[in-house]
Amino acid sequence: MDYGKQLGLSSDEFNDLFDNFEKRKYKGRKYFTLPDIRKGIEKGTVLVDGRVIRGYPKTPRVFVLKKGLKSYFDDKIAIEEKMNGYNLRIALIDGEIFAFTRSGYICPFSTSLVKEKMDLDSFFSEYSDYMLCGEIIGPENPYTSHSYPEVDSIDIQIFDIRKNSSGKSMNIDKRKKICEKFDIKQVRFFGEYKLENAVEKAPKIIDRLNKQNREGIVMKSIDGKKQLKYTTKNTHQDDLSHAFSIPFDYGQDFVFSRIIREAFQSVEWDENYKQTQKRAHELGESILLPFINSIRQVSHEKTVGEHHIIRGKPKSVSNLLEHLRDQGLSIKIIEDKNIEDKRVVFFIKESHSTTDKIKHYLEGGKKDI
Amino acid sequence: MDYGKQLGLSSDEFNDLFDNFEKRKYKGRKYFTLPDIRKGIEKGTVLVDGRVIRGYPKTPRVFVLKKGLKSYFDDKIAIEEKMNGYNLRIALIDGEIFAFTRSGYICPFSTSLVKEKMDLDSFFSEYSDYMLCGEIIGPENPYTSHSYPEVDSIDIQIFDIRKNSSGKSMNIDKRKKICEKFDIKQVRFFGEYKLENAVEKAPKIIDRLNKQNREGIVMKSIDGKKQLKYTTKNTHQDDLSHAFSIPFDYGQDFVFSRIIREAFQSVEWDENYKQTQKRAHELGESILLPFINSIRQVSHEKTVGEHHIIRGKPKSVSNLLEHLRDQGLSIKIIEDKNIEDKRVVFFIKESHSTTDKIKHYLEGGKKDI
């Protein structure tokens, strides 16, 4: 079927849009991804074998939780846990199952993983035009590093089912029932609330999640159309620690945004001087300590970067490493062994730009600002 | 005389460059300023009545002091104090004295001030083609707010004498003698050192200046051609406090650059865990506390902004206020009184963009990041 039609665009509009798509290849299969949002079509939208797989849209965020809820919703709200991992879309193309990352790459590791961990055939036999949207979590994954006590190595939890071509979300109750029917794990569900109750409840959930070092919540209208997210202090600070371990690789927007979240949260929580000061001290440590650590690493001739462990079938692990290298990443393998029938690899995504900048300054290089 | 010739440019090159100049007016006098560095011509360069007044160039900075000194200089070095105020160039145009801000504006307040505080006629009678470059410091000025115990209200200290048209610096010894001869105040001079001695001495000076809550040092080759700057911890943190009191008005570069300075200084000073942690806590406080304070201000219906006090002849104060308003600034006068023959005004440069952004988020406005 025609891509333009599926996207609801005229053929001229589609041709314009198509110029922005980038060509990719996966096991000999050609596909196209959209690197940025355009004409309302989400970043990460994929065109493959006559099918459109819409990108997963950004979830809007508020800095002030109670007022945000009130100004954004007007009816019943579902609250779910926002997990700290990476976003994945699982879809059926030409009878074959693929897992797409947020930016639209087919990820060999994730594709193999979801096929292994989930019984997808029965789901897709009934819902072939839908994608499962979820989060890959756990300490052993190639993209993020947050760990959860209940997740040993790696896991996937679904938070949305969407129509492939339109990206339209399923009603939440329906999605929950379907997932239960096909035995598909979902993110933690905190409940459905009337607006005025949600305003009371949401801060309490955030407080509990913060104490457990978990990320935050997504609040949704029951029809799945509206979403809003809010995150915990520990998440903001962990994000900053991560960013400042490779400071010259991160956008300054990323950093600034976390500082904004911290400032507004402190005011909304009505913190006293002591609490505010504690938050400020933690913030300072999240910024400065990893940065100093990375400078010391480089001064000892080490290359800094993101550390990951992955565990999987030997074939899917080697496909993943090849896939990451194909994307231009510099992968340094620290340890590589087989445990039972799995290959376990500890590797670093080396950050040359941070390493080189730090080296330049350590040697007395100047900066004209 | 021809502007292009004074700048050492062909007439085609000058015509190209001239397109970038912006037209300004001061008491009926037309002049032109260059808003950004172009073709090696400094930002803030002024064309007025057939004269070129070159902009004051950015002084390069190092993040690592000792290595920086070694890689940048190879001979004797003069070390001077870097004062925390605003940069001013004083020049003679058509027999009249004008003071130019860093970006090339003729500042009515500063012009009146330097004429009042300094005996410039005798200097310019001998050096009519030269500009005096200095720093306006003290608690009572319209651009910065750092105060020094030895400066009551406002003062000017010279750190450079440059040829108007070429911007070439005078040899340091010569400049010092000339300033002494004409009784012109200069910035504190720490001495001339051989390179290997400077490397030992500079960190000690920085340590002392930091304890006194002063800004830092500029290191110069004796011929005045090369300059390098380095600043104290207290300065980095004060800069951050200031930026985060109006966070949405400051470039994120500004913030990031101060964090880099802190991280490298901590490593170069070889701080132990306790010292590093203290620095991190102070950094966190510099960022979060003023931000939280500004949110609270806005939640109490106040407009945030920079606070200034100025004191001067009634005419020059009213000219300044008009000049600031002409630049599009929103000036709110809090107090306005006469003390002896001076007018003293306490005013706020209101920051509408920070105020509006904070208000938007406080009302539950969302952000799509």
Side-chain angles (χ1 to χ4, degrees), chain A residues 62-64 67-69 71-72, chain B residues 359-366:
Chain A
V62 280
F63 294 125
V64 175
K67 277 281 180 72
L69 270 165
S71 78
Y72 199 61
Chain B
K359 202 176 283 175
H360 168 74
Y361 294 134
L362 279 175
E363 284 163 0
K366 63 190 166 68

Side-chain angles (χ1 to χ4, degrees), chain A residues 158 161 175-184 186:
Chain A
I158 299 302
I161 298 177
R175 182 256 294 167
K176 282 171 62 187
K177 272 186 205 128
I178 292 174
C179 284
E180 276 160 30
K181 175 176 167 190
F182 295 107
D183 205 19
I184 293 171
Q186 300 177 72

Side-chain angles (χ1 to χ4, degrees), chain A residues 163-174:
Chain A
K163 193 85 192 280
N164 284 340
S165 56
S166 68
K168 196 172 166 287
S169 281
M170 210 175 251
N171 171 294
I172 289 182
D173 296 329
K174 188 172 173 198

Side-chain angles (χ1 to χ4, degrees), chain A residues 27-46:
Chain A
K27 292 186 180 171
R29 187 185 297 259
K30 216 170 54 180
Y31 66 106
F32 301 90
T33 65
L34 187 61
D36 289 299
I37 184 170
R38 296 247 169 198
K39 296 189 182 180
I41 308 301
E42 303 81 4
K43 173 182 168 175
T45 292
V46 178

